């Protein structure tokens, strides 16, 4: 439920004064609070006079109800219920003149007012309702005018900050100065993007943002903390939070905070557009470097410095490629963000950029690449179900060696996925025979070798072929140990002997020909690399 000071039934009066402040006007100098002291903070937005019995049909929320008691003179038995009915309709308080029509309020009515925190006020006999109406309504309108004027000034100040090129830090500082509070702007994960205000208050606000927990209790004059969302284009970009240890944040302050959040959303949108353009330039340049089209090593090193990259030192190329099962449309941005954060932590001068469905990182050769990949995977895993496979190259001595290193990393990522499944992490030097096979540029020659070596088993025209290839693979892995192969495949010994005979009729007498077994092993390896 929104705070009562922010509500209005007509849409015109949106601010008011508290019942405590109403009691301070000159026309109510002799007024006495009968009951409901805990409700003195209720907001009065309008006044009404009750001189008819069916007043409940005409009252509105946040009204101060004035009465002489005339409609109540014949129904003292219903006065106890009247307080509950008025409170249920959201009234702020009731002020009554006693003595002329109602001598004293029933004890039940007073007790109920105290229990509900509904102020009951006894008016002086010599005060006219018109004086109360004029003074209180003047105070309400003056309050609204002041609040609107303050909000307008705040809006102009915030717009001026943005027009002057200010960012989130400047917007936060402006709000902190306007409201005399500590302010922090948080991203969607709760990380503080900018903060301003007294140091000790900002520190407390950072702790609250990091640890969460219930907000501080409100103070006597207002709340201690307020938060509003930063929204732009239907997307939630985070929150703007204000903190006052004295509990002085008013509802009008929340309105200014909401305006500041709108301005912050514009800043975020502007920065995202700038980042998108810069990201494209970075990606285009790195793609040119990795394909050998960026010019001389000196030119590459000089241009890289403009992006904060150091490509003149010995480096390693890492490729993170989305696995096919994931949704590239939603996962690619997260993949870039995860690797950017990991690179910022491990090698601030390293290069990182996103391509169509992969991220390429160029990291210092002394960095722990396994740790970089692990940290990126940990950040990416916060938003499943997509996964990515990572490949790592050998060390590249300089920019001229980066194209070859990129090819190594790309092959390592794809071969690693084929061998170990989605989410694999592989180094080019750890691929073994697959590294040699991946170096063969003529893939048609590899496929011809498979067809010549495996014959009919090279394809899946016969549903039994895949099963026979599996049997052959295990036989070769166990060095033709029939008993162990039967155990692994859960075959009867005689069944396996029959299958071996069938395989030899198709492939030749491989059980007695070591060279043929080597060819068969290589052909099966090539099949496992199909699509690479």
């Amino acid at each position: 439920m929104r705070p009562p000071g922010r509500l209005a039934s007509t849409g015109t009066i949106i601010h008011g004064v508290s019942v405590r402040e109403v009691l301070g006007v000159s026309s109510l100098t002799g007024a006495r609070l009968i009951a409901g002291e805990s409700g003195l903070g209720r907001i009065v937005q309008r006044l009404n006079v009750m001189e008819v019995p069916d007043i409940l049909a005409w009252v509105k929320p946040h009204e101060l109800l004035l009465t002489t008691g005339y409609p109540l003179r014949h129904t003292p038995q219903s006065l106890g219920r009247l307080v509950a009915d008025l409170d249920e309709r959201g009234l702020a308080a009731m002020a009554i003149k006693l003595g002329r029509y109602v001598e004293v309020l029933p004890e039940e009515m007073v007790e109920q007012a105290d229990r509900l925190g509904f102020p009951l006020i006894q008016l002086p006999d010599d005060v006219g309702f018109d004086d109360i109406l004029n003074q209180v309504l003047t105070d309400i309108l003056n309050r609204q005018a002041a609040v609107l004027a303050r909000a307008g000034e705040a809006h102009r100040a915030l717009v001026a900050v943005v027009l002057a090129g200010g960012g989130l830090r400047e917007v936060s500082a402006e709000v902190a100065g306007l409201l005399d509070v500590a302010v922090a702007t948080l991203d969607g994960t709760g990380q503080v993007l900018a903060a301003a205000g007294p140091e000790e208050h900002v520190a407390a606000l950072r702790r609250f943002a990091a640890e969460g927990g219930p907000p501080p209790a409100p103070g006597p004059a207002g709340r201690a903390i307020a938060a509003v969302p930063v929204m732009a284009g239907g997307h939630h970009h985070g929150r703007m939070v204000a903190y006052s240890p004295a509990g002085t944040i008013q509802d009008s302050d929340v309105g200014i905070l909401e305006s500041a959040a709108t301005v912050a959303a514009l800043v975020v949108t502007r920065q995202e557009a700038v980042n998108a353009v810069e990201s494209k330039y970075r990606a285009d340049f790195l793609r040119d470097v990795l394909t050998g089209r960026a010019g001389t090593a000196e030119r590459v090193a000089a241009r890289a410095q403009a992006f904060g990259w150091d490509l003149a030192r010995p480096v390693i190329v890492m490729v993170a490629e989305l696995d096919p099962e994931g949704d590239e449309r939603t996962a690619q941005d997260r993949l870039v963000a995860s690797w950017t954060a990991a690179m910022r932590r491990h090698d601030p001068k390293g290069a990182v950029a996103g391509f169509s469905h992969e991220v390429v990182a160029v990291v210092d050769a002394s960095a722990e690449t396994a740790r970089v990949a692990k940290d990126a995977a940990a950040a990416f895993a916060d938003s499943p179900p997509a996964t990515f496979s990572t490949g790592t190259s050998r060390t590249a001595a300089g920019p001229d060696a980066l194209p070859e290193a990129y090819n190594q990393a790309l092959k390592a990522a794809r071969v690693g996925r084929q061998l170990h499944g989605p989410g694999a992490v592989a180094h080019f030097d750890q691929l073994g025979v697959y590294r040699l096979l991946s170096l063969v540029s003529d893939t048609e020659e590899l496929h011809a070798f498979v067809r010549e070596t495996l014959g009919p088993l090279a394809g899946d025209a016969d549903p039994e072929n895949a099963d026979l290839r599996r049997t052959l693979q295990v036989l070769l892995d166990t060095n033709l140990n029939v008993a162990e192969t039967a155990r692994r495949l859960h075959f009867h010994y005689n069944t396996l002997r029959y299958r071996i005979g069938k395989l030899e009729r198709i492939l030749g007498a491989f059980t007695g020909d070591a060279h043929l077994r080597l060819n068969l092993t290589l052909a099966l390896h090539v099949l496992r690399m199909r699509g690479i």
Side-chain angles (χ1 to χ4, degrees):
M1 181 180 293
R2 300 178 69 185
R6 302 284 299 162
L7 300 176
S9 60
T10 64
T12 53
I13 302 295
I14 60 174
H15 299 284
V17 296
S18 67
V19 176
R20 182 181 288 104
E21 291 172 307
V22 169
L23 289 174
V25 302
S26 59
S27 60
L28 293 179
T29 301
R32 183 175 69 88
L33 181 68
I34 300 174
E37 183 177 4
S38 62
L40 289 179
R42 293 187 180 216
I43 300 300
V44 177
Q45 293 179 343
R46 56 177 58 82
L47 289 87
N48 197 354
V49 177
M50 178 177 69
E51 296 300 355
V52 293
D54 59 342
I55 188 64
L56 290 177
W58 307 100
V59 296
K60 296 181 177 65
H62 312 303
E63 280 185 344
L64 171 61
L65 194 59
L66 307 175
T67 182
T68 61
Y70 179 80
L72 310 176
R73 67 193 188 285
H74 297 310
T75 57
Q77 69 279 4
S78 66
L79 294 183
R81 179 61 195 167
L82 178 63
V83 169
D85 290 338
L86 296 177
D87 179 72
E88 184 178 345
R89 285 162 174 78
L91 264 72
M94 185 174 77
I96 184 171
K97 286 186 177 183
L98 295 178
R100 185 173 182 181
Y101 299 110
V102 177
E103 290 293 333
V104 64
L105 296 179
E107 189 65 28
E108 178 187 358
M109 185 178 185
V110 174
E111 291 177 356
Q112 192 169 54
D114 278 328
R115 186 170 64 254
L116 296 174
F118 183 85
L120 292 177
I121 302 168
Q122 180 179 348
L123 296 173
D125 292 335
D126 58 349
V127 64
F129 284 174
D130 57 337
D131 293 331
I132 299 174
L133 290 169
N134 287 335
Q135 289 187 13
V136 176
L137 285 176
T138 298
D139 282 354
I140 291 174
L141 294 176
N142 287 341
R143 176 71 58 85
Q144 171 136 334
V147 167
L148 293 177
R150 182 171 177 244
E153 292 175 1
H155 179 73
R156 287 190 291 273
L158 291 168
V159 170
V161 168
V162 176
L163 292 178
L168 292 178
R169 181 181 302 175
E170 289 75 17
V171 171
S172 299
E174 187 69 25
V175 179
L178 289 168
L179 303 183
D180 193 22
V181 295
V183 173
T185 304
L186 316 178
D187 64 13
T189 65
Q191 297 296 315
V192 178
L193 300 177
E199 287 188 14
E200 63 275 17
H201 298 168
V202 170
L205 187 53
R206 287 181 181 275
R207 288 194 299 272
F208 174 77
E211 301 169 6
R223 69 192 76 178
I225 198 162
V228 296
V230 176
M231 302 287 294
H235 298 288
H236 187 278
H237 294 280
R239 295 175 295 156
M240 182 169 280
V241 185
Y243 171 61
S244 168
T248 58
I249 300 176
Q250 301 293 317
D251 294 314
S252 58
D253 297 332
V254 177
I256 293 176
L257 195 64
E258 289 172 346
S259 297
T262 301
V263 173
L266 295 176
V267 172
V268 170
T269 303
R270 181 188 66 188
Q271 190 58 48
E272 285 185 344
V274 172
N275 290 342
V277 174
E278 291 181 350
S279 178
K280 182 181 184 304
Y281 280 122
R282 286 195 298 268
D284 288 345
F285 171 64
L286 188 57
R287 184 182 289 107
D288 288 343
V289 172
L290 298 176
T291 55
R293 296 179 299 179
T296 64
E298 292 75 14
R299 185 171 183 268
V300 168
R303 288 193 61 189
Q305 286 183 345
F307 294 116
W309 300 343
D310 183 1
L311 301 184
R313 56 185 174 164
V315 293
I316 291 173
V317 177
M318 303 180 71
V319 171
E321 189 177 52
L322 285 171
D323 294 321
E325 293 78 7
D327 185 350
E328 292 186 10
R329 294 171 300 175
T330 59
Q332 179 65 14
D333 290 342
R334 292 192 290 108
L335 186 64
V336 174
S338 300
W339 275 88
T340 300
M343 287 291 289
R344 190 183 302 119
R345 187 178 305 114
H346 292 277
D347 183 12
K349 292 186 178 181
V352 59
F355 296 165
S356 58
H357 63 288
E358 67 188 39
V359 171
V360 179
V362 183
V363 61
D364 185 79
S366 64
E368 296 183 42
T369 54
R371 185 67 182 174
V372 176
K374 183 177 180 181
D375 286 355
F380 190 76
D382 291 340
S383 304
T387 59
F388 64 87
S389 297
T390 305
T392 304
S393 75
R394 295 169 174 168
T395 299
D400 291 338
L402 286 175
E404 178 60 26
Y406 170 63
N407 289 329
Q408 292 172 359
L410 191 59
K411 289 174 181 176
R414 294 178 179 179
V415 173
R417 181 192 296 114
Q418 290 290 333
L419 298 179
H420 309 295
V425 178
H427 192 287
F428 184 72
D429 284 340
Q430 298 172 344
L431 298 181
V433 69
Y434 295 100
R435 186 181 78 207
L436 298 177
L437 292 173
S438 68
L439 294 176
V440 179
S441 58
D442 190 350
T443 56
E444 181 56 36
E445 187 64 30
L446 285 176
H447 295 159
F449 171 75
V450 171
R451 291 192 297 270
E452 293 168 4
T453 305
L454 295 180
L457 295 186
D460 291 324
D462 189 332
E464 188 184 13
N465 285 352
D467 197 26
L468 288 173
R469 287 198 303 268
R470 169 66 176 157
T471 302
L472 176 62
Q473 182 68 66
V474 177
L475 274 169
L476 295 172
D477 290 344
T478 61
N479 199 23
L480 301 182
N481 187 322
V482 178
E484 176 61 17
T485 301
R487 186 188 67 79
R488 291 190 186 183
L489 296 175
H490 306 289
F491 286 162
H492 188 276
Y493 183 86
N494 291 335
T495 301
L496 182 57
R497 296 301 306 181
Y498 168 76
R499 282 176 169 259
I500 293 173
K502 187 171 184 178
L503 285 169
E504 289 199 313
R505 288 193 296 273
I506 296 173
L507 304 173
F510 66 89
T511 56
D513 188 338
H515 292 290
L516 179 55
R517 289 200 299 274
L518 175 60
N519 288 342
L520 291 173
T521 300
L522 289 175
L524 290 174
H525 284 331
V526 173
L527 274 184
R528 291 189 67 184
M529 293 174 59
R530 182 179 298 167
I532 297 175

